Amino acid sequence: MPSALINVPARAKRGDVIEIKTLMSHIMETGYRHIASGEVVPRDIITSFTCRYNGTEIFRADLYPAIAANPFITFFTTVTESGKFEFEWIGDRGFSETASASILVE
Amino acid sequence: MTDSDHTTRRTFLGLAGGAAASGLVPIVTVRTADATPAMLSSAIRNIVGEANVRTGKVKLDIPPLVENGNTVPMTVSVDSPMTADNYVKSIHVFNEKNPQPNIGNFYLRPGAGRAQVSTRIRLADSQKVTAIARLSDDTFWSVTADVVVTLAACTEEAI
């Protein structure tokens, strides 16, 4: 069962630079491992992560098998108005998850 | 006398060079599972095109010695004011010896306030990690760090 952990400050002052921390639970199977009988374990990774702030894309990442399991990504943004951050993870085998967090800007 | 000396030396060096070059071929074929320096440079070329990549401005925080290559914390930051006309467009991270040379691409906006990204990566071997930043004026800046890995990622058997 996929689950996301998001850390966004609940409130901030207009113009502040805040740090956003995100973690999505996912195996991130590289596609380079073998089982004992020699068969390759098929690749199953998250390939794309996007963050939107009140509908505008503010951060995007392309992920590769070299990203560790349970991708943890942190980045920064300047806050201009109260609203919502929306996060989206897209991956192999139709993987697609979303999460959101609100912020109050004074 | 000196002339013939030169000739022999040149011939010898030529032969040695040829031997070294042919000696490289089997090594490359044995290690097909690894990204070769050629794969790394072509992955970098895919991003930067014909542009010059200069050293500087970028900082890569990664432990020089890691016990477990399955999860290595890494932070890339770029010295940039992040204003509307001078900001970091993207950050690209590459490795030298994983099966694939790419680690991740991160696309930023001027509104980021600070050009810094952290994540956790996998390293299959002791190797170099390179981060390249593309600025808004389309110049590229890079930094490279050496990491020694005790327990390699990717190679263990799945259960």
Side-chain angles (χ1 to χ4, degrees):
Chain A
M1 184 63 198
S3 68
L5 276 177
I6 306 290
N7 189 331
V8 173
R11 51 179 62 222
K13 289 203 177 67
R14 192 177 307 275
D16 276 0
V17 175
I18 61 158
E19 182 174 24
I20 297 179
K21 299 181 186 181
T22 69
L23 187 145
M24 168 55 75
S25 67
H26 194 284
I27 183 170
M28 293 295 278
E29 184 60 59
T30 59
Y32 296 106
R33 298 195 308 154
H34 299 262
I35 55 171
S37 63
E39 288 160 63
V40 174
V41 184
R43 192 185 92 161
D44 182 11
I45 65 165
I46 292 173
T47 50
S48 162
F49 167 75
T50 315
C51 174
R52 278 180 286 271
Y53 178 27
N54 289 336
T56 310
E57 183 185 296
I58 57 161
F59 180 83
R60 181 163 58 87
D62 302 330
L63 310 186
Y64 291 86
I67 299 288
N70 305 322
F72 169 73
I73 301 172
T74 76
F75 52 95
F76 291 83
T77 193
T78 311
V79 288
T80 48
E81 53 184 353
S82 296
K84 208 161 120 184
F85 290 101
E86 291 167 291
F87 306 90
E88 188 179 27
W89 295 261
I90 294 169
D92 294 337
R93 304 185 189 187
F95 182 90
S96 176
E97 284 292 323
T98 56
S100 65
S102 305
I103 187 163
L104 186 69
V105 176
E106 293 150 343
Chain B
M1 187 60 197
T2 45
D3 265 3
S4 73
D5 259 349
H6 269 281
T7 331
T8 21
R9 188 165 165 273
R10 241 174 237 163
T11 323
F12 172 73
L13 285 177
L15 284 173
S22 58
L24 276 177
V25 177
I27 297 171
V28 170
T29 44
V30 167
R31 308 192 63 180
T32 41
D34 289 0
T36 59
M39 279 167 72
L40 172 62
S41 56
S42 80
I44 291 174
R45 281 291 150 221
N46 277 345
I47 298 289
V48 306
E50 295 302 307
N52 243 346
V53 181
R54 279 172 281 181
T55 310
K57 286 189 194 265
V58 190
K59 190 161 159 264
L60 179 57
D61 272 326
I62 190 164
L65 173 68
V66 294
E67 249 175 57
N68 185 351
N70 281 303
T71 168
V72 183
M74 174 199 84
T75 297
V76 185
S77 48
V78 187
D79 180 17
S80 164
M82 294 307 272
T83 55
D85 50 7
N86 183 3
Y87 63 98
V88 177
K89 272 186 181 170
S90 57
I91 295 171
H92 309 268
V93 188
F94 303 93
N95 70 79
E96 197 186 13
K97 290 183 180 169
N98 280 8
Q100 214 177 311
N102 296 83
I103 292 179
N105 303 324
F106 307 93
Y107 302 92
L108 315 185
R109 293 293 162 98
R114 192 188 300 181
Q116 181 176 328
V117 175
S118 304
T119 188
R120 295 195 284 237
I121 66 172
R122 287 179 170 130
L123 293 173
D125 202 346
S126 298
Q127 55 182 302
K128 288 188 196 318
V129 175
T130 299
I132 296 182
R134 178 191 200 132
L135 305 195
S136 49
D137 58 3
D138 285 327
T139 54
F140 292 89
W141 298 83
S142 82
V143 68
T144 298
D146 278 296
V147 185
V148 175
V149 179
T150 321
L151 171 68
C154 309
T155 46
E156 85 278 28
E157 270 190 3
I159 299 146

